[in-house]
Each structure stands twice: as structure tokens, then as C-alpha cells.
Amino acid sequence: MLMKIKLIQIVSLILVISQMSFGQGGTVYSRYGIGDQIHSQSARRLGFGDLGSAVVDMDYIDGYNPAAWTNLKLTRFEISGRFIASNNTSQNSSAFYNKAMFSGLTLGFPVERDLGISFALGLVPIASLEYNIEESLEDSSLIDPHKNIFEGSGSVSKIFIGASTLLPLNFSLGAMLEYYTGTNNYASKQNFESPSTFSDIYYETRYKYSGMGTTVSLITGNFFKYFDDETSLEFRLSGMANFASDLYTDTSLVTGTSIGELTPREGEVMSVIPTKYTFGAVFGWNNDFLILFDYVFQPWSKYTFNNFYEQNFKDLTKFSIGFQYKPKITSMHASSWEQMSLRCGLSLEETQYSFQGNNVDQYSFHAGATFPFGTVNLIDVSIAVGMRGKNENNLVKEEFIKAAFSLTLGELWFRREER
């Protein structure tokens, strides 16, 4: 009964939080498409390059790769948050942005441990929109001094439910059913300085997204185990595809003038999100060390809104390499410092943005750590520093710092009685 009450409370919390807005903070590039892509949400994955698709671990549950849940031993509840600070510069100006945001809530539990059957549900963001641009124009013979302001805010998130199971040869199979939801708001304003004979005007456009999608993933068994069951070496491969169906997009336009707010124009169109593919590998030794490789491909050149292609989009690719040290604990009285695991990574992302043949690339360095507390609970912290774009050819250069925090709690909800 207690387990059922907890599950109902967590599901209710997910539904409430799904009405909240996620934010990524201050990048002008996010105004295109559905916003900036968020590849993964947890602090742990940010620590070794934002990916890590081939890792199977009993201690975590997130909405990234459902095949990774087959080794789950306890019920896991995870909540995450992020902070980003970014200094953006163009050829003519610069601006600094910072923002903190909630970035995920997940719950997972094993059903049949010997068969690797686990279930999970949660809410995680997949894209976010956040920008603010101001342009001051001086007095002229035609118009009074004023500011042109362009603003955007919002996010797209997914509510998911999924499961995992073991296959022959110890392969792990996972799948998630996803519901996408979110709202992006775009505003253009013209504010005149006082006194002026002109009145302020604004245009606000709202896109409200909804639709279904699926994720299917596979992680191989440890190839070294096929030849030596006692080996301390590990090598696995993974593949994952995220099939996002067409998203219904309710659109509305509101205009504000000196005579008041005009009746909005409304309609429904389709936003077609291209399939995202992820391939990964992991190599480990001594049960303590892991090296991770990942590759992501998503053909954003095929993205359409209302049957129109986005002219500033190209195909996205992302490469990352990561390292993790997680000590194998043999003592029951090991301290938290002795159990602490460390990770780092490098990533290169050729983003989907391209303007007149000038691509916007991103480079970043990642680091993170896990601090156990209690017997089964974990705190993860991580940081990433990097650069995106350049302040040439009318582009914007972003120098950013991202920090993430995740709290993972474990409980034993299901225990088979011995007969």
C-alpha cells in the first residue's frame, strides 16, 4: 500500500511539473526550429560528454537510454537541475546571460531482476528556447528614438514510460513510449522613448506542441565474457533510435497597437522532427575504469514546419569521448570519499545551425563526480565549459559554463518472498 501511494504521488508530481517551463538561457540560435537540443539531462551524463549510451549501471535511471535499465537492482528516483552562464559576442556587441532550471524527474524499478525486466517513467526536457535581443535606434526625420526588442522563451519536453529486458547473449533491449508537449513564445516589440508621438507596438506568436514518439535501444553483452567468464575486461556496443512523430502545433498571433490588442490569428500546423540516431561503445578494465565513445546523427535538414523547410538548418552530428573511474568497494565500512567516482570527457558538436554556408560548431570539456550518502543514495555534480559559434560573418560567439546537479534515491519496493 505504501509503495502504491508513493507511485501515485510521483506520477502526480510529473503531471504538475509538465506544465512548468524549462529554460536553457540566452542563446540567439535557439529561436530556430523548436529550440536548442538537449541530448541528455542528468549530471552524470554531462560529466563524461553528455552521452554515454553504452553504459549499463545498476545505480541510475534516466530518460536517455532504456536498454541501460536491465541491471537495475533497487527502485530509483532521480531529480536533476542545471545552471548555465554564457557570454555572447558579435562583431558589434556583447551580452552575458545566466539561468538555473529544473531538468528532469524520473522513477524506475526492477520487476524481474534475473530477466532484466524494469519499468520507468518520467519527465525530461528535449529542447529549450531562450533569447533576448535589443536594438536601440536614434532619432531620424521619419521616426522617434525607440528600441526594437526580440524575445523568445519556452521548451519542449517529453513524458515517457518505458521498459527493458535481457535477450540471449546478455543483450539489453529497451523501449520508451513518449508524449511530447511544450510551448514556445516569440515576441517582437517596438518601444518608443518618452515623449513621442508614436505608440508602442508588439507582435506575439505562440507555438504549442503535442505529439507521440518512441525510442528503441539495444546494448550488447560484454564481448570478453563470451570467451572468459572470469575476465575483468568489458567491451559493449550500443545503438539507439528516437522516432519522434509529427508534432501537432497550435499557432496563434496576437498584435498590440494603440487601439488595443487585436484578435489573435489561430491555426494548427505540423512540425516534423527528424529521427535521432545514437551509436556508442564502452571499454572497461579492472571493474574500475571505463572509456566511452559516442556518435549522434540527426538530419535536421529534413525538419519542416507547416510543410516548409528551415533554410538555416543542416544535419547535426555530435562526437564525444569520456572516461570514468568508479572504485570497486570491498569494505562494508568504506567512507563516502573512498566510494566517490570521477569522470571527464570531450565533445565536438556540429550543430544543426548554418547561416549562408557558415556552420555553427560547439566544442566543450566536461568533468563530474559522484558522492554516495547513506547506503544506496547518490549526489552527482558536473560541469562543462565550451564555445559555440564565432563572431564573424554576422554570427554570435558563445562562451559558456554549464553545471548540473542530480539527486538519486534508492529503495527496495519489490521483494519476492521465499517459499
Side-chain angles (χ1 to χ4, degrees):
M1 177 62 70
L2 180 60
M3 183 276 293
K4 292 181 179 180
I5 294 175
K6 289 183 178 180
L7 183 59
I8 292 173
Q9 291 174 338
I10 291 171
V11 172
S12 300
L13 181 59
I14 290 174
L15 295 175
V16 170
I17 294 178
S18 68
Q19 305 303 315
M20 298 170 59
S21 173
F22 294 93
Q24 188 72 4
T27 170
V28 66
Y29 297 120
S30 67
R31 68 182 295 186
Y32 298 95
I34 64 172
D36 255 3
Q37 297 303 292
I38 302 175
H39 295 287
S40 60
Q41 298 77 29
S42 69
R44 173 172 174 257
R45 295 194 184 277
L46 179 66
F48 44 53
D50 223 12
L51 298 172
S53 61
V55 176
V56 177
D57 197 308
M58 74 176 84
D59 296 325
Y60 295 91
I61 191 77
D62 58 32
Y64 178 64
N65 186 355
W69 304 339
T70 53
N71 202 28
L72 198 63
K73 303 302 181 185
L74 300 172
T75 295
R76 287 287 178 179
F77 173 77
E78 184 171 324
I79 187 168
S80 302
R82 287 199 180 193
F83 170 82
I84 183 170
S86 176
N87 186 54
N88 301 346
T89 59
S90 65
Q91 292 176 302
N92 302 315
S93 61
S94 64
F96 178 80
Y97 300 94
N98 66 87
K99 190 168 186 177
M101 73 290 296
F102 168 81
S103 64
L105 175 70
T106 56
L107 169 71
F109 48 90
V111 176
E112 178 52 67
R113 294 172 179 82
D114 293 337
L115 299 178
I117 299 175
S118 299
F119 283 90
L121 70 160
L123 167 70
V124 292
I126 64 165
S128 81
L129 168 71
E130 188 78 23
Y131 68 89
N132 186 298
I133 304 170
E134 292 189 7
E135 178 187 25
S136 296
L137 298 178
E138 300 297 328
D139 191 11
S140 70
S141 58
L142 298 177
I143 195 169
D144 292 343
H146 64 280
K147 283 186 177 181
N148 290 330
I149 302 173
F150 306 94
E151 298 174 333
S153 63
S155 69
V156 179
S157 308
K158 70 177 181 183
I159 300 172
F160 71 87
I161 182 169
S164 67
T165 186
L166 286 175
L167 300 177
L169 298 177
N170 211 34
F171 278 43
S172 298
L173 175 67
M176 293 189 294
L177 179 65
E178 303 155 336
Y179 175 72
Y180 293 88
T181 181
T183 302
N184 284 344
N185 297 291
Y186 305 84
S188 299
K189 305 176 183 179
Q190 194 171 70
N191 295 342
F192 289 90
E193 296 182 7
S194 181
S196 174
T197 58
F198 297 92
S199 299
D200 297 344
I201 59 173
Y202 66 87
Y203 302 89
E204 291 186 359
T205 305
R206 173 175 294 179
Y207 297 157
K208 188 173 183 179
Y209 302 97
S210 62
M212 301 297 296
T214 55
T215 294
V216 179
S217 61
L218 183 72
I219 301 177
T220 68
N222 180 4
F223 286 101
F224 288 108
K225 287 282 188 179
Y226 300 149
F227 305 99
D228 181 3
D229 193 56
E230 302 299 324
T231 183
S232 63
L233 297 176
E234 178 182 4
F235 180 70
R236 301 176 188 269
L237 299 174
S238 67
M240 182 167 57
N242 174 235
F243 305 97
S245 64
D246 300 349
L247 301 184
Y248 293 96
T249 309
D250 289 324
T251 66
S252 61
L253 172 64
V254 177
T255 304
T257 66
S258 59
I259 61 174
E261 187 173 278
L262 302 183
T263 303
R265 300 177 182 177
E266 298 178 333
E268 185 176 89
V269 300
M270 300 299 295
S271 297
V272 179
I273 311 299
T275 299
K276 181 179 180 179
Y277 303 94
T278 305
F279 302 95
V282 62
F283 173 72
W285 66 98
N286 293 337
N287 298 312
D288 291 335
F289 304 96
L290 290 178
I291 296 179
L292 309 96
F293 305 89
D294 284 277
Y295 168 73
V296 174
F297 173 75
Q298 191 170 15
W300 279 97
S301 59
K302 297 181 180 180
Y303 165 82
T304 60
F305 174 80
N306 194 22
N307 295 320
F308 288 95
Y309 290 94
E310 172 55 64
Q311 298 300 313
N312 295 314
F313 273 0
K314 67 176 187 63
D315 295 345
L316 176 149
T317 59
K318 183 180 177 73
F319 303 85
S320 74
I321 180 172
F323 171 80
Q324 176 176 269
Y325 167 66
K326 183 179 181 181
K328 184 178 180 180
I329 305 302
T330 58
S331 171
M332 296 180 58
H333 305 289
S335 67
S336 295
W337 290 105
E338 292 174 318
Q339 300 178 62
M340 182 177 67
S341 57
L342 304 172
R343 58 189 64 91
C344 62
L346 296 170
S347 68
L348 164 63
E349 182 175 342
E350 299 178 6
T351 72
Q352 68 269 34
Y353 307 116
S354 181
F355 301 90
Q356 298 180 344
N358 299 296
N359 298 337
V360 178
D361 297 333
Q362 176 176 302
Y363 311 86
S364 54
F365 170 78
H366 306 250
T370 300
F371 301 93
F373 69 99
T375 56
V376 295
N377 304 317
L378 305 168
I379 293 177
D380 282 88
V381 294
S382 61
I383 189 170
V385 295
M387 179 180 68
R388 177 164 67 168
K390 53 188 177 181
N391 51 10
E392 302 172 2
N393 301 317
N394 295 318
L395 297 180
V396 175
K397 178 181 178 181
E398 300 177 357
E399 297 171 305
F400 61 82
I401 297 177
K402 297 179 182 179
F405 170 89
S406 294
L407 173 65
T408 305
L409 305 177
E411 283 191 27
L412 185 61
W413 280 15
F414 300 94
R415 176 180 292 173
R416 177 178 295 177
E417 296 182 2
E418 298 294 335
R419 297 184 182 273

